[in-house]
Amino acid sequence: MNPSSLRPDYRAAIGMITPSANLVVERVTSAILADFPEVSGHFSRTPVFGAKDLFPDDYDWDGMLGAARLLAQARPDVLVWNGSKGATLGFDVDRELCRRVTGETGIPATTSSLALEAALGSLHARRIAVVAPYVTGYQTKLVAGFEREGLEVVAHAHSGIADNLAYATVTDEAIAAMIRDVATARPDAILTWCTNFPAAYGVDALERELGIPILDSVTLAVWHGLHMIGHADTRGRRWGRLFSEPAS
């Protein structure tokens, strides 16, 4: 087959900003976009690493906007912060992030947290369970952040890891065990929350086993970016029920 025959008529592009110590976002994004050959993914990083957050109560605005400016030079159709911190800062902070990114670049923007808001609206889900790799203090902060958004956290589980890079080392078996544990509370949806947490690969099988939607923070960001440029559809269904849902 001539390679030129594989070229789509229109090539859309998603720009992803990811934490600097992240090993998961690029892998999962590229794997999902393999089902959408007309859409390419492009990446920029902002400093997030180690066990200590240098900006615990806000974003590193210079780092975030610098990463967005670099991506904007490639003129993607949408810019996405594929990071989970907005859940602790508040969704309004992510809305401000998107306002600033779009104001500087002229490109529409979204985040993992705003994608979650859209997905929960589509599912009419308010009772959630949360699975994450964090230490107890940060997990408590995360749960409180979701509750400030009007969500009821009925169960949660976490791995107790402090280092950002080490989040990616949690095994499939450990993630599945935590998901099954919180599923006993029968939430409307289960969140696997941290974009360096390799939960996306098991979502479809566990959803089918448990009968509960599972929303992964990395997958959410890709899904919402695809929706914003008019390319999300059931071709992504192997990544979970989310790809059967419209964005509200």
Side-chain angles (χ1 to χ4, degrees):
M1 181 181 290
N2 187 334
S4 65
S5 67
L6 299 176
R7 178 173 177 168
D9 293 333
Y10 172 66
R11 288 187 172 183
I14 294 177
M16 288 278 177
I17 302 170
T18 179
S20 59
N22 194 295
L23 291 171
V24 174
V25 164
E26 286 140 326
R27 291 173 177 175
V28 171
T29 300
S30 297
I32 294 172
L33 292 183
D35 295 324
F36 298 85
E38 76 280 12
V39 183
S40 57
H42 308 274
F43 304 92
S44 188
R45 288 175 176 254
T46 189
V48 182
F49 57 92
K52 182 177 176 60
D53 187 349
L54 300 179
F55 299 86
D57 299 313
D58 204 353
Y59 281 128
D60 171 8
W61 290 99
D62 289 342
M64 295 286 275
L65 295 174
R69 290 187 202 104
L70 289 173
L71 274 172
Q73 293 174 11
R75 304 310 300 170
D77 298 278
V78 64
L79 289 168
V80 182
W81 164 230
N82 204 322
S84 56
K85 188 174 179 178
T88 62
L89 299 178
F91 292 0
D92 281 344
V93 179
D94 271 20
R95 278 185 269 275
E96 174 64 12
L97 172 63
C98 292
R99 187 192 68 77
R100 293 194 195 188
V101 167
T102 301
E104 291 217 14
T105 66
I107 299 171
T110 189
T111 74
S112 295
S113 294
L114 297 182
L116 172 64
E117 186 177 53
L120 291 174
S122 294
L123 292 166
H124 306 290
R126 305 305 294 174
R127 298 176 69 258
I128 63 170
V130 181
V131 171
Y134 304 125
V135 295
T136 298
Y138 195 84
Q139 182 82 355
T140 300
K141 186 176 182 180
L142 175 63
V143 169
F146 284 131
E147 290 177 339
R148 284 195 303 272
E149 298 298 330
L151 300 170
E152 181 185 357
V153 180
V154 298
H156 64 93
H158 57 108
S159 303
I161 298 172
D163 180 74
N164 195 283
L165 180 60
Y167 297 157
T169 66
V170 184
T171 66
D172 294 344
E173 293 77 15
I175 293 170
M178 288 189 285
I179 290 172
R180 291 187 179 105
D181 181 50
V182 300
T184 62
R186 303 309 299 173
D188 299 330
I190 297 170
L191 315 187
T192 54
W193 201 255
C194 170
T195 64
N196 203 25
F197 188 50
Y201 303 98
V203 164
D204 183 47
L206 285 163
E207 281 186 330
R208 294 177 191 278
E209 173 189 332
L210 301 170
I212 301 171
I214 301 172
L215 304 176
D216 175 70
S217 52
V218 180
T219 306
L220 280 162
V222 182
W223 167 81
H224 204 218
L226 285 167
H227 263 291
M228 289 178 67
I229 62 175
H231 284 264
D233 56 49
T234 55
R235 284 178 292 172
R237 182 63 183 83
R238 68 193 179 107
W239 295 94
R241 174 180 162 179
L242 181 63
F243 281 90
S244 300
E245 298 293 334
S248 65

